[in-house]
Amino acid sequence: MGAYFGVSTIFVFCLLGFSANAEVFTIGSSSGSDITQALLKAFTSACQSASPSQVVIPKGEFKLGEIEMRGPCKAPVEITLQGTVKADGGSINGKEKWVVFGNLNGFKLNGGGVFDGEGNAAWTVNNCHKTFNCKKLPISIRFDFVENAEIRDISSIDAKNFHINVLGAKNMTMDNIKITAPEDSPNTDGIHLGRSDGVKILNTFISTGDDCISVGDGTKNLHVEKVTCGPGHGISVGSLGRYGNEQDVSGIRVVNCTLQQTDNGLRIKTWPSAACSTTASDIHFEDIIVKDVSNPILIDQEYCPWNQCNKQKASTIKLVNISFKRVRGTSGNKDAVKLLCSKGYPCQNVEIGDIDIKYSGADGPATFQCSNVSPTLSGAQSPKACSGPVTTTPQ
């Protein structure tokens, strides 16, 4: 059975496909209305249900204010967004969140609908990419400590800050997600993850003004497959080392992805003069197509945007067991491969296998640069691998 949450009317009905004891709560407001309180009421009722339940936001366009939907709940909750929910475009006064799902187990979000962050007004005042001391802007969708979750068939457009932030997740699958924002919109990362274990990102399209996927500290066992990225800043592990309490990163696998017209491709970035000493290990990129991508393969342990650090002090982040295999396509500049590792902690066990990246610019052929690393090579290398000390495996 279920309940219908409208402006003034509630009634009970059955929904095909649900068992007789399942609860279904549908938001019944008219298109254009503010559903914040109705959605919170429906979620609260669903969370208190002893049996699995579903909250339905029907087709239409609705206003949605800042909202937190937190458990723990008595049974799994599913939210089906069929319409479009729109944030307050002028809400830029230090708020750091818009929609939050927190402390949920067995959670599902689906329905083919859209989260519209209305970010235009915020982008002009966002200077967080330039300075530590900046005004915080709302992340569109946050998943805080959500376990055993399935996030499918949703879109996020024009976030004021990150589109999706995943913190403390365990066993989460994100499938068929579409994320878009203008390429000049600052800090609009598609999906950012931190302190999470067992997340999968599959069959997803991301086109933003920052990283398509950014992997923060404490991330373990991340699998990214069949993601199309661009424009944006590519797929990045890091940046790491900016803060003092960061945790190790391990088990990152990115396969069968396409990057097109991105500012960077496959990137690992750590801060010099890092505030911590952690390790990022077992990071593997395989079967990647790059199309007019600047810096297609990049390890950057001298990452210091807008001179916010001391570049003379070597990064203390250790990079171990890294591989780039079967990466092919075209570069947007001559720097096809740059492995710039820390002079204090040189990269260990970096493998480069079957790289074919072409560049046709007037400033010369594609290059392969190395510092503080001796990569193991396998298969063919185009451009020719760095001239520094290398170890070659049998063909």
Side-chain angles (χ1 to χ4, degrees), residues 195 216-218 240-248 274-278 317:
R195 310 284 173 103
D217 79 289
L240 303 175
R242 183 172 180 176
Y243 303 104
N245 60 345
E246 294 184 10
Q247 299 178 5
D248 291 348
C276 59
S277 297
T278 56
I317 308 300

Side-chain angles (χ1 to χ4, degrees), residues 73-140:
C73 296
K74 294 181 179 179
V77 174
E78 176 177 354
I79 293 183
T80 299
L81 172 63
Q82 298 172 344
T84 296
V85 290
K86 298 174 73 72
D88 178 359
S91 179
I92 57 175
N93 296 319
K95 296 183 178 180
E96 299 183 31
K97 57 197 173 187
W98 177 31
V99 179
V100 181
F101 303 101
N103 309 98
L104 300 168
N105 196 334
F107 176 69
K108 294 181 180 180
L109 174 64
N110 51 44
V114 179
F115 293 87
D116 184 349
E118 290 279 324
N120 289 290
W123 300 328
T124 59
V125 300
N126 188 342
N127 63 345
C128 291
H129 55 302
K130 299 179 181 180
T131 177
F132 282 6
N133 300 315
C134 61
K135 179 184 294 184
K136 300 300 183 182
L137 295 168
I139 293 169
S140 274

